[in-house]
């Protein structure tokens, strides 16, 4: 189709504001899918995935739309991941389209995630069409929310479209706005091929599927392509578009969005944001700003049962095939034996991978404290990246440390503001901004990432009863007084419990940890000292007194079933313990000890 009749867009929204429902509606009202085939949440591929037992990630759809002016348009919607961990992917996919629908629930208003994503859209020079959704609900207040969009985001919302993705009201207006307000893509058909790798995923039948946006030139089936980041060459065996089911076509031209397959074995071999060109007579001019997404949070994953190490290796290798942003290397811990040091984009990413290993591969894991990457400067001026507190060099060699900082944006109803400020202050935050929009406050903090990775999000939710929304971006490294704190149980250091902490907070953190561990570790037949130390100096100490453990003592009389139940429970509890020297430490201790309440 001619460029003037193509519109490429994404939908920016906070979770639950109706992105999927609106997408479904757009697809349905243009008869992209016959009504009888229309399932709820067409863009949400999980159901299809389950049904057919294959992986389809149809997060992109091509819609044919005949506008009220009688002209035929091709509308390409690409979906963007919603979570903070995937900020880089969001910013890349925004560069593949020219406009965004900004969907805001008109009963709720703007949330932090909306803000973060809309800024990516603004940075990508998007034309932005505000859409106020859920107008069928009595609590809908379009005037208030439109005003809030203008105040907080600073874009004109006077022509915001009022929509109910549920009833279909306002859908035609939305389609017309896409055609009338969003710019058509530009690009040269005769120029050398330049395409952006927008996304990629693994399909068990087709191998790796690559989503591309053609900038210049034409891509045809059978051609040989080259990825500019690593000069790897591939033979294109299939080209197509999503309607939303995969439909094979012959070629993709400038401004178009579609997929290719090229017998690529692993998702790791494809990089979001990379430039794809022809092997011969290609462009050397890469799209700007390409950087592979880097893991920022690291932790150790160890099998509870050391006999399961090979199974764990297998699971991790399989998961990594389909997730280029997940890194791993083997690690040996004096306390935990063989395992892996793994890198993640953020905490959610970590939790997703850990849960999949436990659930899909049935391996019980010990997860060590999540850590960020520190820059450790030696006195001779050299610098190393520290991924694991256990690798901290000898202090006599170290001149100083730097830690990663983030800019966090939090939106919260007034009444919880005080608690949020206190939480941020407690986590060594520096307030950058505080503004109001109606009855909500927007606070911006500069925070150390390491203070956010354990439980910041949980704490934020709990102090605000779930009403706060949160988003962050990395802003760089800064020097601070950071030290490694070790934990000794029964005089033996437990390497998996060592953490990096700020010197001024070490005593407090150390005390909190040993107190927690005292509760988490069951009593043994002997006294167990639990200590926190920096270098050789003990900064906190608790003693777990000795006790003969007789769990059935509480049960008077001869209730045999109850007794057996208790014994079974104790046995099950045992399985999740790990022995350190002479002491059994439960699996949960490794994470719980680090949480601060
Ligand atoms: P995630 O997929 O979790 O990111 O959410 P989403 O933004 O895609 O929201 P989704 O479309 O799943 O909608 C969230 C909820 O709001 C669902 O229960 C929808 O049925 C409901 N919903 C969406 N649009 C409307 C609307 O216009 N009116 C009403 N009443 N409910 C709506």
């Amino acid at each position: 189709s001619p460029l003037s009749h193509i519109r490429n867009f994404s939908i920016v929204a906070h979770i639950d504001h109706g992105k999927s429902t609106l997408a479904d509606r757009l697809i349905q009202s243009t008869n992209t899918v016959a009504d009888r085939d229309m399932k709820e949440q067409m863009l949400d591929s999980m159901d299809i995935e389950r049904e057919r037992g294959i992986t389809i990630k149809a997060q992109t759809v091509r819609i044919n739309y005949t506008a009220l002016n009688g002209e035929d348009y091709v509308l390409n919607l690409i979906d963007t991941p919603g979570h903070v961990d995937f900020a880089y992917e969001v910013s890349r996919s925004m560069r593949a389209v020219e406009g965004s629908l900004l969907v805001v629930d008109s009963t709720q208003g703007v949330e932090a995630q909306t803000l973060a994503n809309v800024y990516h859209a603004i940075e990508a020079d998007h034309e932005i069409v505000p859409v106020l959704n859920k107008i069928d609900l009595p609590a809908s207040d379009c005037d208030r929310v439109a005003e809030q969009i203008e105040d907080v985001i600073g874009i004109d919302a006077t022509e915001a479209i009022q929509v109910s993705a549920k009833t279909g009201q306002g859908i035609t207006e939305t389609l017309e706005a896409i055609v009338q307000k969003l710019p058509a893509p530009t690009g040269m058909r005769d120029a050398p091929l330049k395409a952006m790798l927008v996304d990629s995923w693994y399909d068990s039948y087709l191998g790796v599927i690559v989503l591309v946006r053609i900038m210049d030139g034409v891509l045809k089936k059978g051609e040989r392509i080259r990825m500019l980041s690593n000069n790897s060459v591939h033979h294109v065996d299939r080209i197509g578009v999503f309607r939303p089911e995969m439909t094979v076509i012959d070629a993709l031209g400038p401004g178009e969005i579609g997929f290719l397959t090229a017998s690529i074995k692993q998702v790791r071999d494809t990089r979001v944001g990379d430039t794809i060109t022809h092997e011969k007579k290609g462009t050397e001019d890469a799209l700007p700003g390409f950087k592979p997404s880097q893991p920022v949070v690291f932790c150790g994953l160890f099998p509870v049962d050391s006999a399961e190490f090979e199974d764990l290796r297998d699971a991790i290798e399989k998961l990594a095939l389909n997730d280029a942003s997940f890194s791993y290397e083997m690690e040996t811990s004096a306390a935990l034996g063989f395992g892996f040091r793994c890198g993640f984009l953020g905490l959610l990413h970590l939790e997703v991978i850990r849960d999949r290993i436990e659930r899909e591969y049935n391996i019980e894991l010990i997860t060590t404290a999540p850590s960020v990457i520190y820059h450790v400067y030696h006195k001779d001026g050299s610098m190393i990246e520290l991924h694991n507190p256990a690798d901290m060099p000898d202090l006599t060699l170290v001149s100083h440390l730097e830690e990663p900082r983030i800019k966090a944006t939090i939106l919260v109803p007034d009444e919880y503001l005080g608690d949020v400020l206190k939480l941020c202050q407690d986590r060594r935050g520096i307030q950058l901004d505080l503004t109001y929009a109606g009855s909500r406050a927007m606070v911006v903090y500069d925070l150390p990432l390491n203070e956010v990775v354990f439980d910041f999000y949980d704490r934020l939710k709990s102090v605000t009863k779930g009403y706060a929304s949160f988003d962050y971006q990395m802003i760089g490294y800064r020097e601070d007084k950071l030290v490694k704190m070790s934990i000794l149980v029964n005089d033996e250091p437990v390497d998996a419990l060592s953490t990096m902490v700020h010197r001024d907070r070490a005593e407090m953190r150390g005390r909190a940890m040993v107190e927690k561990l005292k509760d988490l570790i069951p009593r043994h037949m002997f006294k167990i000292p639990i200590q926190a130390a920096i270098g050789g100096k003990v900064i906190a100490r608790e003693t777990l007194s000795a006790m003969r453990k007789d769990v059935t003592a509480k049960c008077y009389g001869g209730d045999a079933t109850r007794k057996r139940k208790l014994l079974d429970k104790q046995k099950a509890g045992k399985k999740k313990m790990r022995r350190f020297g002479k002491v059994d430490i439960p699996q949960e201790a490794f994470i719980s000890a680090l949480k601060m309440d």
Side-chain angles (χ1 to χ4, degrees), residues 124-144:
D125 265 339
H126 279 191
E127 193 61 44
I128 297 168
V129 174
V131 172
L132 306 174
N133 190 30
K134 307 200 186 181
I135 57 165
D136 58 291
L137 294 175
S140 162
D141 187 347
C142 290
D143 292 342
R144 180 183 68 85

Side-chain angles (χ1 to χ4, degrees), residues 119 144-155 435-438:
Y119 288 140
R144 180 183 68 85
V145 174
E147 198 179 314
Q148 195 202 12
I149 290 175
E150 299 199 342
D151 285 353
V152 178
I153 303 175
I155 59 172
T435 46
Y436 290 88

Side-chain angles (χ1 to χ4, degrees), residues 13-22 41 133-137 163-167:
H14 189 73
I15 285 175
D16 274 350
H17 283 201
K19 181 163 96 170
S20 314
T21 313
L22 178 65
Q41 311 255 318
N133 190 30
K134 307 200 186 181
I135 57 165
D136 58 291
L137 294 175
V163 169
S164 167
K166 188 174 175 187
T167 66

Side-chain angles (χ1 to χ4, degrees), residues 57 81 86-96 195-201 209-211 227 229 267-276 287-293 323-325 345:
K57 194 170 158 191
F86 305 99
Y88 172 70
E89 267 78 4
V90 176
S91 79
R92 291 316 302 175
S93 44
M94 293 279 182
R95 306 236 168 227
M196 182 198 287
L197 197 160
V198 182
D199 196 3
S200 65
W201 59 94
I209 297 174
V210 178
L211 183 68
M227 313 269 191
S229 71
V267 170
R268 298 188 90 78
D269 299 334
T270 59
R271 307 215 147 157
V272 169
D274 203 352
T275 307
I276 299 175
L287 294 160
F290 167 72
K291 58 172 172 54
S293 37
D323 186 347
S325 45
L345 294 176

Side-chain angles (χ1 to χ4, degrees), residues 67-229:
L68 298 181
N69 64 10
E71 308 264 323
D72 290 331
Y73 290 87
V74 169
L75 315 180
N76 290 305
L77 163 61
I78 68 173
D79 195 15
T80 50
H83 193 270
V84 290
D85 285 1
F86 305 99
Y88 172 70
E89 267 78 4
V90 176
S91 79
R92 291 316 302 175
S93 44
M94 293 279 182
R95 306 236 168 227
V97 297
E98 287 76 24
S100 289
L101 300 183
L102 167 64
V103 176
V104 181
D105 182 337
S106 62
T107 69
Q108 302 286 326
V110 173
E111 297 288 349
Q113 208 181 56
T114 324
L115 268 181
N117 287 339
V118 87
Y119 288 140
H120 288 307
I122 291 170
E123 269 170 40
D125 265 339
H126 279 191
E127 193 61 44
I128 297 168
V129 174
V131 172
L132 306 174
N133 190 30
K134 307 200 186 181
I135 57 165
D136 58 291
L137 294 175
S140 162
D141 187 347
C142 290
D143 292 342
R144 180 183 68 85
V145 174
E147 198 179 314
Q148 195 202 12
I149 290 175
E150 299 199 342
D151 285 353
V152 178
I153 303 175
I155 59 172
D156 182 7
T158 46
E159 290 183 43
I161 307 167
Q162 304 193 358
V163 169
S164 167
K166 188 174 175 187
T167 66
Q169 193 181 343
I171 294 300
T172 304
E173 288 81 350
T174 307
L175 288 162
E176 284 297 309
I178 292 169
V179 166
Q180 303 303 339
K181 296 200 172 155
L182 303 189
T186 54
M188 287 174 291
R189 185 164 276 270
D190 300 330
L193 176 68
K194 185 193 267 188
M196 182 198 287
L197 197 160
V198 182
D199 196 3
S200 65
W201 59 94
Y202 186 77
D203 178 286
S204 43
Y205 292 150
L206 302 175
V208 174
I209 297 174
V210 178
L211 183 68
V212 292
R213 155 71 198 263
I214 311 290
M215 300 301 182
D216 290 316
V218 178
L219 175 64
K220 298 197 188 91
K221 183 184 158 180
E223 290 178 333
R224 292 174 70 81
I225 51 165
R226 181 160 57 91
M227 313 269 191
L228 283 192
S229 71

Side-chain angles (χ1 to χ4, degrees), residues 431-452:
Q431 192 177 308
L432 300 178
D433 198 12
L434 172 59
T435 46
Y436 290 88
S439 62
R440 289 171 83 80
M442 182 173 91
V443 260
V444 182
Y445 262 89
D446 170 337
L447 280 158
L449 180 63
N450 91 332
E451 299 284 348
V452 173

